[in-house]
């Protein structure tokens, strides 16, 4: 009796220390790449087969007192339904156990065969190959944009970035939206079906090599969590996030968000601006964005670095419009105050950030002047 108790204890230790932890990891893991997808598809049938083998092996030892070799032999011929005959005459309990072993083995075998057939016949193999191609593309991606959320705002941001030729990784967890995304194709777009609040998903999206993360999820709590995770995984990444409740702004600043967009505040400022003036900045931006000939123009902040010949010169002496064809809208000084329309006699200092308007090549020219 003591011997049987020892075998029971050994069996339970195997289940508790190995089977249960693997099952928990399987349940908690997300399908973030092709290998994970394959593991999830075949984990249950493989785990069931291994479980039956272990139970059969220890079962004959415990119930019939077989040696390990006899138990292994009996378990194999029973599980394979070969029917060579019993190693030793079985007791009634042994026969019942053998019947259950045959039925369970046959059932699990059919289930495993069904999963394998579905994998090849129902398009799952194509999905795996697609994920492998995406994994390879993600591994080589850098200085890209990560968008979390494919709602109205996320879709608009994605479309505009793709229109500008930027590389985008989109993360979305909603099943219905992910179905729509299957119809969207662009060589610069990679789509991950997953939860952006999961660190593994962000890592899979290449957050360590990304330039900017834009979080436009449904709730402030989700956006705040993504901001915290993003800054933890990549402290130098720029995070742009949306807030629904303006009172949450201080929390996002503490979390490290670089730019916080409150749609309510933007809307109210736009309404007041339109109501009190004939033309406002937002109207100009909207006008420029809708004109094809204005598509190549953009606003940009250019920082003045050490060694630049612009340092110590007045705006008249620097003559930026003539040298670059850029329009200087304003300047952020070291005190973080924005000076709109700098005067000709104002001096350019180290660390100033010039807000300019123009084309990419013009902005690149000023950037080179600002560095050396």
């Amino acid at each position: 009796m003591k011997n049987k108790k020892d075998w029971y204890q050994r069996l339970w230790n195997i289940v508790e220390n190995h089977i249960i932890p693997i099952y928990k990891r399987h349940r908690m893991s997300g399908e973030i790449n092709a290998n994970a997808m394959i593991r999830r598809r075949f984990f249950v049938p493989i785990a069931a087969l291994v479980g039956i083998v272990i139970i059969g092996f220890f079962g004959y030892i415990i119930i019939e007192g077989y040696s390990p070799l006899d138990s292994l032999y009996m378990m194999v011929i029973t599980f394979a339904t070969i029917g060579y005959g019993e190693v030793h005459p079985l007791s009634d309990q042994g026969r019942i156990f053998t019947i259950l072993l045959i039925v369970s083995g046959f059932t699990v075998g059919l289930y495993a065969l069904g999963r394998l057939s579905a994998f090849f016949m129902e398009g799952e193999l194509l999905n795996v190959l697609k994920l492998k191609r995406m994994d390879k593309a993600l591994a080589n991606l850098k200085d890209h944009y990560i968008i979390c959320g494919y709602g109205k705002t996320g879709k608009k941001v994605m479309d505009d970035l793709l229109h500008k030729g930027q590389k985008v990784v989109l993360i979305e967890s909603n099943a219905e939206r992910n179905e729509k995304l299957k119809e969207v194709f662009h060589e610069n777009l990679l789509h991950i079906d997953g939860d952006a609040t999961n660190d593994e998903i962000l890592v899979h999206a290449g957050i360590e090599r990304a330039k900017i993360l834009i979080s436009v999820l449904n709730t402030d709590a989700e956006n705040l969590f993504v901001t915290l995770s993003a800054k933890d995984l990549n402290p130098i990444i720029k995070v742009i996030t949306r807030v629904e409740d303006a009172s949450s702004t201080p929390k996002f600043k503490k979390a490290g968000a670089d730019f916080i967009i409150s749609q309510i505040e933007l809307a109210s400022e736009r309404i007041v601006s339109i109501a009190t003036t004939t033309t406002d900045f937002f109207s100009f931006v909207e006008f420029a964005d809708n004109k094809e000939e204005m598509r190549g123009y953009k606003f940009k902040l250019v920082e003045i670095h050490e060694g630049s010949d612009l340092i110590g010169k007045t705006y008249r002496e620097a003559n930026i419009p003539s040298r670059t064809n850029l329009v200087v809208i304003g300047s952020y000084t070291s005190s973080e105050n924005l000076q709109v329309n700098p005067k000709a006699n104002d001096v350019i200092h180290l660390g100033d950030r010039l807000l300019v308007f123009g084309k990419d090549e013009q902005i690149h020219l000023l950037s080179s002047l600002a560095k050396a």
Side-chain angles (χ1 to χ4, degrees), residues 10 20 28 55 61 63 99 101-102 119 125 146 161 173 176 219 230 239 244 248 266 271 308 312 319-320 337 342 358:
R10 290 183 187 180
I20 293 178
M28 295 175 67
I55 292 172
I61 294 175
I63 296 173
I99 292 172
L101 194 64
I102 293 172
F119 183 77
L125 178 59
I146 299 176
L161 287 174
S173 60
E176 184 177 343
T219 67
V239 175
E244 298 292 338
S248 300
L266 284 177
I271 291 171
S308 171
N319 201 14
I320 294 174
N337 294 321

Side-chain angles (χ1 to χ4, degrees), residues 57-73:
F57 175 75
F58 285 102
Y60 284 114
I61 294 175
I62 295 170
I63 296 173
E64 296 296 332
Y66 283 2
S67 67
L69 180 59
D70 287 343
S71 178
L72 178 63
Y73 176 78

Side-chain angles (χ1 to χ4, degrees), residues 17-34:
N17 296 328
H18 300 283
I19 305 299
I20 293 178
I22 293 174
Y23 176 74
K24 286 182 177 179
R25 288 197 299 269
H26 160 72
R27 293 291 295 174
M28 295 175 67
S29 64
E31 289 182 6
I32 60 175
N33 54 43

Side-chain angles (χ1 to χ4, degrees), residues 228-342:
L228 287 167
S229 298
K231 283 295 185 178
D232 181 56
L233 294 169
N234 183 359
I236 65 173
I237 193 173
K238 298 293 184 183
V239 175
I240 304 172
T241 184
R242 177 182 64 187
V243 294
E244 298 292 338
D245 186 355
S247 63
S248 300
T249 300
K251 297 179 182 178
F252 281 87
K253 289 182 178 179
K254 289 181 180 179
D258 298 280
F259 301 97
I260 304 167
I261 309 299
S262 172
Q263 291 182 312
I264 295 176
E265 288 186 352
L266 284 177
S268 62
E269 288 176 4
R270 175 76 187 276
I271 291 171
V272 171
S273 180
I274 293 174
T276 56
T277 61
T278 55
T279 306
D280 67 326
F281 174 77
F282 295 103
S283 297
F284 171 73
V285 173
E286 185 176 290
F287 167 80
D289 192 51
N290 289 330
K291 294 294 182 180
E292 190 63 35
E293 61 271 20
M294 299 291 287
R295 290 279 186 177
Y297 290 84
K298 61 175 63 174
F299 292 91
K300 186 78 173 181
L301 280 173
V302 178
E303 185 174 350
I304 306 300
H305 295 272
E306 187 174 355
S308 171
D309 65 357
L310 298 177
I311 298 174
K313 291 184 178 180
T314 64
Y315 282 91
R316 179 185 291 108
E317 293 170 339
N319 201 14
I320 294 174
S322 297
R323 296 172 70 180
T324 64
N325 287 324
L326 286 171
V327 178
V328 181
I329 306 295
S331 171
Y332 280 96
T333 64
S334 57
S335 61
E336 294 295 330
N337 294 321
L338 174 62
Q339 181 183 357
V340 180
N341 190 21

Side-chain angles (χ1 to χ4, degrees), residues 5 18 31 34 76 80 82 129 137 142 148 153 165 169 180 190 193 214 240 277 279 328 334 360:
K5 285 184 177 180
H18 300 283
E31 289 182 6
V76 170
I82 295 175
L129 294 176
K142 64 179 181 178
C148 304
T153 305
V169 176
K180 294 180 180 178
L190 292 174
D193 181 355
I214 303 168
I240 304 172
T277 61
T279 306
V328 181
S334 57
D360 279 330

Side-chain angles (χ1 to χ4, degrees), residues 20-297:
I20 293 178
I22 293 174
Y23 176 74
K24 286 182 177 179
R25 288 197 299 269
H26 160 72
R27 293 291 295 174
M28 295 175 67
S29 64
E31 289 182 6
I32 60 175
N33 54 43
N35 293 332
M37 185 176 182
I38 293 174
R39 287 196 299 268
R40 286 179 65 86
R41 290 294 182 271
F42 295 104
F43 175 84
V44 173
I46 291 175
L49 288 171
V50 172
I52 292 174
V53 169
I54 293 174
I55 292 172
F57 175 75
F58 285 102
Y60 284 114
I61 294 175
I62 295 170
I63 296 173
E64 296 296 332
Y66 283 2
S67 67
L69 180 59
D70 287 343
S71 178
L72 178 63
Y73 176 78
M74 187 66 186
M75 182 274 302
V76 170
I77 65 173
T78 301
F79 186 74
T81 64
I82 295 175
Y84 281 157
E86 302 167 358
V87 177
H88 303 291
L90 294 174
S91 63
D92 291 341
Q93 294 90 337
R95 290 178 179 177
I96 294 174
F97 177 76
T98 302
I99 292 172
L100 294 175
L101 194 64
I102 293 172
V103 172
S104 58
F106 183 74
T107 303
V108 171
L110 286 179
Y111 174 71
L113 184 61
R115 292 299 293 264
L116 185 63
S117 300
F119 183 77
F120 288 102
M121 301 298 292
E122 296 181 6
E124 293 189 38
L125 178 59
L126 294 176
N127 291 334
V128 169
L129 294 176
K130 180 181 177 181
L131 282 175
K132 281 189 174 293
R133 288 195 299 270
M134 187 185 74
D135 292 344
K136 184 177 180 180
L138 281 170
N140 297 323
L141 204 61
K142 64 179 181 178
D143 292 332
H144 56 286
Y145 292 78
I146 299 176
I147 301 176
C148 304
Y150 186 66
K152 292 180 180 179
T153 305
K155 182 180 184 304
K156 175 61 176 172
V157 171
M158 182 194 77
D159 290 342
D160 288 347
L161 287 174
L162 292 177
H163 180 80
K164 295 178 184 297
Q166 301 294 340
K167 296 184 182 298
V168 176
V169 176
L170 178 65
I171 303 173
E172 175 58 57
S173 60
N174 182 278
E176 184 177 343
R177 291 174 180 173
N178 281 323
E179 283 298 318
K180 294 180 180 178
L181 279 166
K182 291 180 180 179
E183 303 173 2
V184 178
F185 173 79
H186 196 286
E187 61 180 3
N188 288 337
L189 174 65
L190 292 174
H191 164 225
I192 296 178
D193 181 355
D195 184 0
T197 61
N198 186 335
D199 285 2
E200 291 185 13
I201 297 293
L202 293 177
V203 171
H204 188 57
I207 191 168
E208 298 98 334
R209 306 179 305 278
K211 179 166 59 175
I212 292 178
L213 180 139
I214 303 168
S215 184
V216 284
L217 298 173
N218 294 327
T219 67
D220 286 353
E222 290 175 311
N223 288 322
L224 181 62
F225 197 91
V226 170
T227 300
L228 287 167
S229 298
K231 283 295 185 178
D232 181 56
L233 294 169
N234 183 359
I236 65 173
I237 193 173
K238 298 293 184 183
V239 175
I240 304 172
T241 184
R242 177 182 64 187
V243 294
E244 298 292 338
D245 186 355
S247 63
S248 300
T249 300
K251 297 179 182 178
F252 281 87
K253 289 182 178 179
K254 289 181 180 179
D258 298 280
F259 301 97
I260 304 167
I261 309 299
S262 172
Q263 291 182 312
I264 295 176
E265 288 186 352
L266 284 177
S268 62
E269 288 176 4
R270 175 76 187 276
I271 291 171
V272 171
S273 180
I274 293 174
T276 56
T277 61
T278 55
T279 306
D280 67 326
F281 174 77
F282 295 103
S283 297
F284 171 73
V285 173
E286 185 176 290
F287 167 80
D289 192 51
N290 289 330
K291 294 294 182 180
E292 190 63 35
E293 61 271 20
M294 299 291 287
R295 290 279 186 177
Y297 290 84

